[in-house]
Amino acid sequence: MNKNKLWQLVFWLGPFFLTSGLTIGLISEKWGIIPLLLTILGLIICSLWIIIQSQQSKWWQKRSTQSGTNALVATLSVLVILGLINFLGIRYHLRLDLTDSQLFTLSPQSRELVSNLPETIKVWLFSKDQNLQDRELLDNYHRQSNKFKFEYIDPQLKPGIAEKFGVKDYGEVYLEFQNKRQLVQIINENERLSEIKLTNRLQQITSSTTAKVYFLQGHGEHPLTASKGAISQAIKALTDKNFTTSALNLAEQPQVPDDATVIVVAGPKKELLIGEVTALQNYLNRGGNLLLMIDPNTDPKIGTILKDWGIRLDNRLAIDTSGENLQLGPAAILVTEYGQHPITKDFAKNISVYPLTRSLEIDPVSGIESMALLKTKPYPNSWAESDQKSEKLEFNEGQDLKGPLTLGVALTRKLSNAIPTTLPTPIPTTSPTPIPTTSPIPIPTTSPIPIPTTSPIPIPTTSPIPIPTTSPIPIPTTSPIPIPTTSPIPIPTTSPIPIPTTSPIPIPTTSPIPIPTTSPTPIPTTSPIPIPTTSPTPIPTTSPTPIPTTSPIPTSINSQPTAKESRLVIFGNSNFAVDGLFEQQLNGDVFLNSVSWLSQQDQQLLSIRPKEPKNRRIVISTLQANWLTIIAVFVLPLIGLTTGFIIWWKRR
């Protein structure tokens, strides 16, 4: 065997060692001594062979070598570029959804919720087959966070897991978070996995608190259960977002319940009683949150609340002519202008509809921040009409108000700027000085005679307490020092322990215990301390510490220490939240986001809810269908042939 063949054999060891080292390192993902040694040894052998060949045969100078090298470098470059593209594609996701409603893209609410998951949450789908649409939706959730996991389970193959969740049929979807399990929905061929339901259940199962929303009733407000003009869909949507809803009748109870997070007044037709308005004011003053939806041509007599917050209801009807092209009446307001408020900041130019609404006017009030939520288009597209009985609606200078009109407002007031909810407890100036429960003077325990404060038994005229007839300390009958008029108790200066023969302390008329007129020592009727039969040290009737006329410790009335501010949202319309209109466009989002913002809960998400596919089927008559057929089959081909013939004739 000559040397050339030997070097060729050695050369083949180089690619072999290099391939072996790279394969071991990439598969095991551990670059230990063996894969590194094989890789380095293979590189050294290949490099030596290339150097020797270039010196012996001037291999680098050949055109074939240069062409081969260029081809090899180009191939390696393409492979490196493709590898980088795949690496970036796995590491960073970029998806383009061209559908109108962004059907294949998670809503901002879903993305924010999944991105902020506190712990791992898992979706269990008990189904034999994996639907591509459902799998794509779950993959979208998983791309937002690795804490979101899902798994398909065949109940027949794994009956233990199915029994743990209580599965009764194929298609049940469950959420598992910590020790909680919750049914999301049942999927089948006609109903696929819904982002709306999955996101709502995610929010419910991860939320640790439940807010209570009360709906005021008794004044013609919208019913809460399914009926004509009800808001049952809004109630169900609030329940899905982990709110607890209940009716509230302030005529039956004097104040708003302490557990109320938000009070909703949805379209009252009759006046509220003065006591009900006062209860709502007190609720706001102690950090409550109120949602008012007041329809035009109604006056619920809540002007005192609105005046405190700087809001005036315009009695004119809002008119918008921009919706006539969509076969909407001029009184149906089509809103696409929203304020930069947490309730509406993500709405962009999307649509919400408000039939028969009134405008609102905002007056600046110190300590209250306000922001418009909904605005109409400017004049001449919109104005506030004063003559609502006229068949022809047109703007009248001096009577009507030019647009843009404000249809919804959100306001906040810090509790420090609100009306104080704690009232001081006054102490009357004629009240006897109370003796502290912990007396600095030791009281002997020999034969105490307790006197109950509520005892109706009169005290005998002869005192059971022996009082010496001669006092070792001279007791002046008149005070040498003038007593200030503001002091309810005369304080003699010559006696450290004054025991006047006549009581200097006015006796309250409401005392249940009659005080003997001949007793030289006044006995306080409110004293919780038993009086000893022999008192070595008489208890002074004057307090060494001045007592303020008002208590320094306020008494709180239904205080909510966790609330930092009061919030108020007002709309000039309530029909946008009734059944049927609630699910139109952004109407439901406006209502739900308003309640979520009013609840002052950080975990509540404010955004556009997930969307369902839109029904884009065209409904046409038989005549229109025939015309479309004629145009498609005869007219359009004839136009093409005629155009081609004209061009050919001109070029001929």
Side-chain angles (χ1 to χ4, degrees), residues 467-469 471 475-478 498-504 516-522:
I467 303 174
T469 55
S471 175
I475 306 170
T477 57
T478 59
I499 309 176
T501 56
T502 59
S503 176
T517 55
T518 59
S519 174
T521 306

Side-chain angles (χ1 to χ4, degrees), residues 154-291:
D154 189 341
Q156 292 184 349
L157 298 179
K158 297 183 179 180
I161 299 178
E163 184 179 357
K164 182 176 68 172
F165 283 87
V167 177
K168 299 179 181 179
D169 197 2
Y170 285 101
E172 294 186 8
V173 181
Y174 283 86
L175 270 178
E176 185 179 24
F177 178 72
Q178 296 176 347
N179 296 325
K180 296 183 288 185
R181 300 183 184 93
Q182 187 173 10
L183 177 67
V184 177
Q185 69 176 107
I186 300 176
I187 57 176
N188 50 49
E189 294 181 358
N190 298 323
E191 182 179 0
R192 304 317 313 169
L193 187 62
S194 169
E195 182 188 351
I196 293 179
K197 294 180 180 179
L198 185 54
T199 297
N200 287 334
R201 295 299 182 270
L202 279 171
Q203 189 169 7
Q204 283 184 6
I205 201 171
T206 56
S207 177
S208 58
T209 60
T210 301
K212 190 69 174 288
V213 180
Y214 283 93
F215 286 80
L216 189 66
Q217 297 288 287
H219 316 90
E221 292 89 354
H222 294 288
L224 305 185
T225 56
S227 60
K228 183 179 180 180
I231 52 175
S232 60
Q233 291 178 343
I235 299 295
K236 183 180 183 302
L238 287 175
T239 304
D240 291 339
K241 290 178 70 65
N242 209 32
F243 286 97
T244 303
T245 60
S246 179
L248 173 65
N249 193 332
L250 289 177
E252 299 176 352
Q253 57 188 69
Q255 65 180 10
V256 176
D258 294 334
D259 63 344
T261 306
V262 181
I263 301 295
V264 179
V265 183
K269 302 295 187 295
K270 300 177 182 178
E271 301 177 1
L272 274 67
L273 300 176
I274 298 177
E276 294 177 309
V277 177
T278 303
L280 292 177
Q281 282 182 305
N282 294 336
Y283 172 69
L284 286 172
N285 293 338
R286 67 175 190 256
N289 309 285
L290 184 62
L291 173 58

Side-chain angles (χ1 to χ4, degrees), residues 588-606:
D589 299 302
V590 173
F591 177 82
L592 293 176
N593 283 4
S594 298
V595 175
S596 298
W597 179 75
L598 286 171
S599 66
Q600 303 191 38
Q601 297 183 93
D602 295 337
Q603 68 270 21
Q604 289 294 340
L605 302 178
L606 299 171

Side-chain angles (χ1 to χ4, degrees), residues 256-559:
V256 176
D258 294 334
D259 63 344
T261 306
V262 181
I263 301 295
V264 179
V265 183
K269 302 295 187 295
K270 300 177 182 178
E271 301 177 1
L272 274 67
L273 300 176
I274 298 177
E276 294 177 309
V277 177
T278 303
L280 292 177
Q281 282 182 305
N282 294 336
Y283 172 69
L284 286 172
N285 293 338
R286 67 175 190 256
N289 309 285
L290 184 62
L291 173 58
L292 298 174
M293 299 188 292
I294 311 300
D295 293 317
N297 301 320
T298 59
D299 185 10
K301 298 297 182 182
I302 56 173
T304 53
I305 298 177
L306 300 179
K307 184 178 180 181
D308 292 342
W309 290 77
I311 298 296
R312 287 182 289 116
L313 296 175
D314 194 342
N315 293 324
R316 291 168 287 197
L317 183 67
I319 300 298
D320 186 2
T321 59
S322 60
E324 293 180 353
N325 296 331
L326 301 175
Q327 297 181 354
L328 297 174
I333 307 300
L334 210 65
V335 173
T336 57
E337 300 292 335
Y338 304 95
Q340 291 300 313
H341 189 272
I343 296 176
T344 55
K345 65 179 181 179
D346 294 328
F347 287 0
K349 291 293 182 179
N350 291 291
I351 299 172
S352 55
V353 184
Y354 305 87
L356 297 178
T357 182
R358 72 200 308 171
S359 62
L360 309 172
E361 297 182 14
I362 308 173
D363 297 326
V365 177
S366 177
I368 293 180
E369 298 179 0
S370 62
M371 179 175 291
L373 299 177
L374 313 171
K375 283 192 174 184
T376 64
K377 295 179 175 60
Y379 179 81
N381 287 329
S382 69
W383 69 89
E385 178 65 43
S386 57
D387 187 8
Q388 302 179 22
K389 297 181 180 180
S390 176
E391 296 181 0
K392 185 178 181 181
L393 297 175
E394 58 182 4
F395 179 78
N396 298 315
E397 191 69 37
Q399 298 179 359
D400 300 338
L401 179 65
K402 293 183 178 181
L405 306 175
T406 300
L407 306 182
V409 183
L411 306 100
T412 58
R413 179 175 64 184
K414 301 296 182 183
L415 287 185
S416 58
N417 297 327
I419 300 174
T421 60
T422 57
L423 301 176
T425 305
I427 300 176
T429 56
T430 59
S431 172
T433 307
I435 300 173
T437 55
T438 57
S439 175
I441 304 171
I443 300 173
T445 59
T446 58
S447 302
I449 305 176
I451 302 176
T453 57
T454 58
S455 174
I457 303 173
I459 300 175
T461 55
T462 59
S463 174
I465 306 173
I467 303 174
T469 55
T470 59
S471 175
I473 304 173
I475 306 170
T477 57
T478 59
S479 176
I481 299 175
I483 302 170
T485 57
T486 59
S487 174
I489 305 173
I491 308 173
T493 57
T494 58
S495 176
I497 309 173
I499 309 176
T501 56
T502 59
S503 176
I505 305 173
I507 302 172
T509 57
T510 59
S511 174
I513 305 176
I515 307 297
T517 55
T518 59
S519 174
T521 306
I523 302 172
T525 60
T526 59
S527 173
I529 306 173
I531 303 174
T533 55
T534 58
S535 174
T537 307
I539 300 173
T541 58
T542 57
S543 175
T545 306
I547 302 174
T549 57
T550 59
S551 174
I553 303 174
T555 303
S556 175
I557 302 176
N558 296 329
S559 61

